[in-house]
mmCIF file of all heavy atoms in Angstrom:
data_model
loop_
_atom_site.group_PDB
_atom_site.id
_atom_site.type_symbol
_atom_site.label_atom_id
_atom_site.label_comp_id
_atom_site.label_asym_id
_atom_site.label_seq_id
_atom_site.Cartn_x
_atom_site.Cartn_y
_atom_site.Cartn_z
ATOM 1 N N ILE A 45 -23.553 67.644 23.697
ATOM 2 C CA ILE A 45 -22.177 67.814 23.266
ATOM 3 C C ILE A 45 -21.328 68.533 24.392
ATOM 4 O O ILE A 45 -20.276 68.053 24.783
ATOM 5 C CB ILE A 45 -22.053 68.630 21.981
ATOM 6 C CG1 ILE A 45 -22.598 67.784 20.841
ATOM 7 C CG2 ILE A 45 -20.593 68.958 21.705
ATOM 8 C CD1 ILE A 45 -22.656 68.431 19.532
ATOM 9 N N ILE A 48 -20.832 66.052 27.291
ATOM 10 C CA ILE A 48 -19.828 65.041 26.961
ATOM 11 C C ILE A 48 -18.412 65.762 27.116
ATOM 12 O O ILE A 48 -17.435 65.162 27.661
ATOM 13 C CB ILE A 48 -19.995 64.469 25.575
ATOM 14 C CG1 ILE A 48 -21.267 63.588 25.583
ATOM 15 C CG2 ILE A 48 -18.814 63.678 25.215
ATOM 16 C CD1 ILE A 48 -21.692 63.093 24.263
ATOM 17 N N LYS A 55 -7.189 61.743 28.180
ATOM 18 C CA LYS A 55 -5.898 61.306 28.475
ATOM 19 C C LYS A 55 -5.619 60.099 27.588
ATOM 20 O O LYS A 55 -6.537 59.450 27.180
ATOM 21 C CB LYS A 55 -5.809 60.789 29.938
ATOM 22 C CG LYS A 55 -5.737 61.976 30.904
ATOM 23 C CD LYS A 55 -5.042 61.405 32.211
ATOM 24 C CE LYS A 55 -5.764 61.763 33.405
ATOM 25 N NZ LYS A 55 -5.910 60.797 34.461
ATOM 26 N N LEU A 68 -29.143 57.209 14.175
ATOM 27 C CA LEU A 68 -28.066 56.591 13.423
ATOM 28 C C LEU A 68 -26.853 56.256 14.219
ATOM 29 O O LEU A 68 -26.140 55.266 13.952
ATOM 30 C CB LEU A 68 -27.644 57.536 12.227
ATOM 31 C CG LEU A 68 -28.506 57.564 11.000
ATOM 32 C CD1 LEU A 68 -27.967 58.566 10.036
ATOM 33 C CD2 LEU A 68 -28.549 56.161 10.425
ATOM 34 N N GLN A 82 2.798 64.046 21.414
ATOM 35 C CA GLN A 82 3.254 62.782 21.988
ATOM 36 C C GLN A 82 2.697 61.464 21.386
ATOM 37 O O GLN A 82 3.052 60.437 21.827
ATOM 38 C CB GLN A 82 2.995 62.782 23.472
ATOM 39 C CG GLN A 82 4.073 63.427 24.357
ATOM 40 C CD GLN A 82 3.573 64.181 25.493
ATOM 41 O OE1 GLN A 82 2.634 63.859 26.141
ATOM 42 N NE2 GLN A 82 4.149 65.395 25.726
ATOM 43 N N ALA A 100 -16.297 44.754 22.628
ATOM 44 C CA ALA A 100 -16.576 43.341 22.858
ATOM 45 C C ALA A 100 -17.222 43.215 24.227
ATOM 46 O O ALA A 100 -18.173 42.441 24.343
ATOM 47 C CB ALA A 100 -15.260 42.463 22.750
ATOM 48 N N GLY A 105 -22.499 44.093 18.115
ATOM 49 C CA GLY A 105 -22.115 43.262 16.949
ATOM 50 C C GLY A 105 -21.317 43.882 15.935
ATOM 51 O O GLY A 105 -20.592 43.270 15.137
ATOM 52 N N VAL A 107 -19.015 47.713 14.907
ATOM 53 C CA VAL A 107 -18.475 48.999 15.305
ATOM 54 C C VAL A 107 -17.938 49.718 14.042
ATOM 55 O O VAL A 107 -17.570 49.043 13.066
ATOM 56 C CB VAL A 107 -17.337 48.965 16.320
ATOM 57 C CG1 VAL A 107 -17.790 48.344 17.582
ATOM 58 C CG2 VAL A 107 -16.152 48.090 15.744
ATOM 59 N N ALA A 108 -17.947 50.975 14.087
ATOM 60 C CA ALA A 108 -17.135 51.774 13.108
ATOM 61 C C ALA A 108 -16.072 52.546 13.877
ATOM 62 O O ALA A 108 -16.411 53.164 14.862
ATOM 63 C CB ALA A 108 -18.071 52.747 12.351
ATOM 64 N N LEU A 110 -13.261 55.420 13.595
ATOM 65 C CA LEU A 110 -12.757 56.529 12.774
ATOM 66 C C LEU A 110 -11.248 56.591 12.952
ATOM 67 O O LEU A 110 -10.689 56.414 14.041
ATOM 68 C CB LEU A 110 -13.339 57.855 13.210
ATOM 69 C CG LEU A 110 -14.855 58.013 13.295
ATOM 70 C CD1 LEU A 110 -15.304 59.386 13.710
ATOM 71 C CD2 LEU A 110 -15.488 57.616 11.931
ATOM 72 N N ALA A 126 -5.418 47.722 11.620
ATOM 73 C CA ALA A 126 -5.987 46.436 11.317
ATOM 74 C C ALA A 126 -5.456 45.412 12.327
ATOM 75 O O ALA A 126 -6.222 44.608 12.937
ATOM 76 C CB ALA A 126 -5.760 46.038 9.922
ATOM 77 N N LYS A 151 -18.982 41.193 15.371
ATOM 78 C CA LYS A 151 -18.846 40.558 14.085
ATOM 79 C C LYS A 151 -18.129 41.389 13.084
ATOM 80 O O LYS A 151 -17.421 40.837 12.199
ATOM 81 C CB LYS A 151 -20.258 40.110 13.593
ATOM 82 C CG LYS A 151 -20.784 38.932 14.354
ATOM 83 C CD LYS A 151 -22.030 38.383 13.570
ATOM 84 C CE LYS A 151 -22.974 37.598 14.529
ATOM 85 N NZ LYS A 151 -23.646 38.509 15.461
ATOM 86 N N GLN A 203 0.318 21.028 10.847
ATOM 87 C CA GLN A 203 -0.978 21.441 10.302
ATOM 88 C C GLN A 203 -0.738 22.852 9.577
ATOM 89 O O GLN A 203 -1.198 22.982 8.376
ATOM 90 C CB GLN A 203 -1.963 21.626 11.405
ATOM 91 C CG GLN A 203 -2.589 20.335 11.817
ATOM 92 C CD GLN A 203 -3.443 20.448 13.092
ATOM 93 O OE1 GLN A 203 -3.422 21.504 13.742
ATOM 94 N NE2 GLN A 203 -4.154 19.415 13.409
ATOM 95 N N GLU A 237 6.527 12.927 28.912
ATOM 96 C CA GLU A 237 6.321 13.448 27.558
ATOM 97 C C GLU A 237 7.660 13.361 26.805
ATOM 98 O O GLU A 237 8.641 13.921 27.231
ATOM 99 C CB GLU A 237 5.831 14.915 27.684
ATOM 100 C CG GLU A 237 4.517 15.123 28.263
ATOM 101 C CD GLU A 237 3.332 14.565 27.426
ATOM 102 O OE1 GLU A 237 3.502 14.318 26.201
ATOM 103 O OE2 GLU A 237 2.312 14.371 27.994
ATOM 104 N N PRO A 310 13.077 23.580 19.788
ATOM 105 C CA PRO A 310 13.366 22.437 20.702
ATOM 106 C C PRO A 310 12.179 22.422 21.683
ATOM 107 O O PRO A 310 12.104 23.363 22.487
ATOM 108 C CB PRO A 310 14.749 22.756 21.261
ATOM 109 C CG PRO A 310 14.838 24.253 21.127
ATOM 110 C CD PRO A 310 13.971 24.721 20.034
ATOM 111 N N LEU A 364 20.982 34.442 12.980
ATOM 112 C CA LEU A 364 20.246 33.691 13.912
ATOM 113 C C LEU A 364 19.442 34.619 14.812
ATOM 114 O O LEU A 364 19.978 35.559 15.331
ATOM 115 C CB LEU A 364 21.281 32.888 14.822
ATOM 116 C CG LEU A 364 22.039 31.744 14.238
ATOM 117 C CD1 LEU A 364 23.213 31.435 15.074
ATOM 118 C CD2 LEU A 364 21.184 30.516 14.026
ATOM 119 N N ALA A 399 11.714 48.450 13.887
ATOM 120 C CA ALA A 399 10.617 47.528 13.773
ATOM 121 C C ALA A 399 9.786 47.693 15.068
ATOM 122 O O ALA A 399 8.510 47.747 15.084
ATOM 123 C CB ALA A 399 11.107 46.119 13.678
ATOM 124 N N GLU A 405 5.895 47.015 20.105
ATOM 125 C CA GLU A 405 6.365 45.968 21.019
ATOM 126 C C GLU A 405 7.637 46.517 21.527
ATOM 127 O O GLU A 405 8.737 46.561 20.911
ATOM 128 C CB GLU A 405 6.589 44.622 20.192
ATOM 129 C CG GLU A 405 5.313 43.967 19.761
ATOM 130 C CD GLU A 405 5.561 43.056 18.597
ATOM 131 O OE1 GLU A 405 5.835 43.587 17.439
ATOM 132 O OE2 GLU A 405 5.430 41.849 18.700
ATOM 133 N N VAL A 424 34.963 21.398 36.123
ATOM 134 C CA VAL A 424 34.974 19.991 35.571
ATOM 135 C C VAL A 424 34.502 19.816 34.159
ATOM 136 O O VAL A 424 34.718 18.808 33.583
ATOM 137 C CB VAL A 424 34.054 19.049 36.518
ATOM 138 C CG1 VAL A 424 34.695 18.909 37.861
ATOM 139 C CG2 VAL A 424 32.661 19.697 36.615
ATOM 140 N N GLY A 437 21.683 38.082 35.767
ATOM 141 C CA GLY A 437 21.264 36.770 35.276
ATOM 142 C C GLY A 437 20.804 36.788 33.820
ATOM 143 O O GLY A 437 21.010 35.768 33.114
ATOM 144 N N GLY A 461 9.518 38.627 30.439
ATOM 145 C CA GLY A 461 8.616 39.609 31.030
ATOM 146 C C GLY A 461 7.451 40.030 30.109
ATOM 147 O O GLY A 461 6.424 40.532 30.554
ATOM 148 N N PRO A 468 -4.446 42.310 34.064
ATOM 149 C CA PRO A 468 -5.233 42.792 32.932
ATOM 150 C C PRO A 468 -5.160 44.237 32.768
ATOM 151 O O PRO A 468 -5.122 45.005 33.756
ATOM 152 C CB PRO A 468 -6.681 42.287 33.348
ATOM 153 C CG PRO A 468 -6.642 42.242 34.847
ATOM 154 C CD PRO A 468 -5.253 41.880 35.248
ATOM 155 N N VAL A 481 5.870 38.470 17.022
ATOM 156 C CA VAL A 481 5.439 38.054 15.726
ATOM 157 C C VAL A 481 5.502 39.275 14.751
ATOM 158 O O VAL A 481 6.148 39.329 13.653
ATOM 159 C CB VAL A 481 4.067 37.443 15.724
ATOM 160 C CG1 VAL A 481 3.558 37.137 14.302
ATOM 161 C CG2 VAL A 481 4.066 36.140 16.539
ATOM 162 N N LEU A 491 15.004 43.964 6.389
ATOM 163 C CA LEU A 491 16.268 43.158 6.049
ATOM 164 C C LEU A 491 16.231 42.890 4.514
ATOM 165 O O LEU A 491 17.290 42.868 3.832
ATOM 166 C CB LEU A 491 16.227 41.849 6.807
ATOM 167 C CG LEU A 491 17.473 41.172 7.126
ATOM 168 C CD1 LEU A 491 18.449 42.104 7.930
ATOM 169 C CD2 LEU A 491 17.243 39.852 7.917
#
Side-chain angles (χ1 to χ4, degrees):
I45 296 178
I48 290 171
K55 282 204 229 141
L68 279 178
Q82 269 142 42
V107 298
L110 306 182
K151 284 193 206 70
Q203 282 168 352
E237 294 292 340
L364 290 162
E405 290 157 292
V424 290
V481 175
L491 207 61

